[in-house]
Every structure is written in C-alpha cells, then in structure tokens.
Amino acid sequence: MYENFTSNLQSHVDANKRRLNRFQADSQKSIQKVSQQTIHALNVFGQLEDVQAKQKARTATKFKRKEQGLKKKLSKSSRANALVERLNKRLEEMEEEYSTDDEFITE
C-alpha cells in the first residue's frame, strides 16, 4: 500500500512537473511573441513618426514657397502701385502744364 501511495504520488508529481514545464515553455513563447509584436509596433510607430515628420517638413516647405511667391507678388504689386501713382502724378503735372500753356496761348 505504501508503495502504491508513493507510486501514485510520484506520478502526480511527475505530471505536475510536466505541466509546469509546458506552462513555462508556453509562457516564454507568449512573452517572446508579445515582445516581438511590441517591437514591431514600436518600429511601425517610429516609421509613422518619420513619415509624419517628412510630411510636416514638405508641407512647411510648400507653405514657405507659397509665402515667398505671395511676397514677391505683393512686392511687385506695391511697386506697380507706386509706379502707377508716380505716373498719375506726372500725368497730372503734365496736364496742368498743358492747361496752363493753353491759357497762355488763348490769352
């Protein structure tokens, strides 16, 4: 009976050891899988951040170019306006001179 009891006890101990070993192996596999998934997700996230940073840089560059283009147009427009004002002023001066010349001629 004692031998039967020790034999049953030993078989339970062996079965529990096998279960424990399987559990440890499965746990290690799960941990490795989760670690790999986490590393992959972080790499993808890092790549995503890189892509977003590149897109932001491109967008900033496009806006700067547009801003420079608008500044050039504004500068040209303001120069054109200044030229128009000078020409109008000159035209008025010439008209005044012409009208005063007409007065001298008619008198």
Side-chain angles (χ1 to χ4, degrees), residues 2 10 15 17-18 20 22 24 38 53 59-60 90 97 105:
Y2 177 75
Q10 188 62 39
K17 280 184 182 180
R18 282 192 300 274
L20 181 62
R22 269 188 263 134
Q24 286 175 337
T38 303
T59 304
R90 177 102 187 239
E97 286 178 21
I105 294 175

Side-chain angles (χ1 to χ4, degrees), residues 22-52:
R22 269 188 263 134
F23 176 76
Q24 286 175 337
D26 290 344
S27 296
Q28 284 290 18
K29 287 179 186 176
S30 295
I31 289 170
Q32 286 177 342
K33 184 177 179 181
V34 169
S35 294
Q36 289 172 348
Q37 289 173 343
T38 303
I39 289 169
H40 178 70
L42 289 173
N43 285 337
V44 168
F45 183 68
Q47 291 171 352
L48 179 64
E49 284 181 339
D50 290 344
V51 168
Q52 288 175 337

Side-chain angles (χ1 to χ4, degrees), residues 56-72:
K56 284 180 183 179
R58 285 186 201 132
T59 304
T61 302
K62 287 180 183 178
F63 279 125
K64 283 182 183 179
R65 286 183 185 154
K66 285 184 179 183
E67 180 185 18
Q68 289 172 350
L70 290 173
K71 282 182 179 179
K72 283 182 182 178

Side-chain angles (χ1 to χ4, degrees), residues 65-103:
R65 286 183 185 154
K66 285 184 179 183
E67 180 185 18
Q68 289 172 350
L70 290 173
K71 282 182 179 179
K72 283 182 182 178
K73 285 182 181 179
L74 181 63
S75 173
K76 288 178 182 178
S77 175
S78 62
R79 280 190 262 149
N81 285 338
L83 179 61
V84 166
E85 287 176 16
R86 284 195 314 253
L87 289 173
N88 283 336
K89 191 174 186 180
R90 177 102 187 239
L91 181 63
E92 288 174 7
E93 289 172 358
M94 291 177 78
E95 285 177 346
E96 285 178 15
E97 286 178 21
Y98 182 73
S99 66
T100 55
D101 287 344
D102 283 347
E103 289 175 8

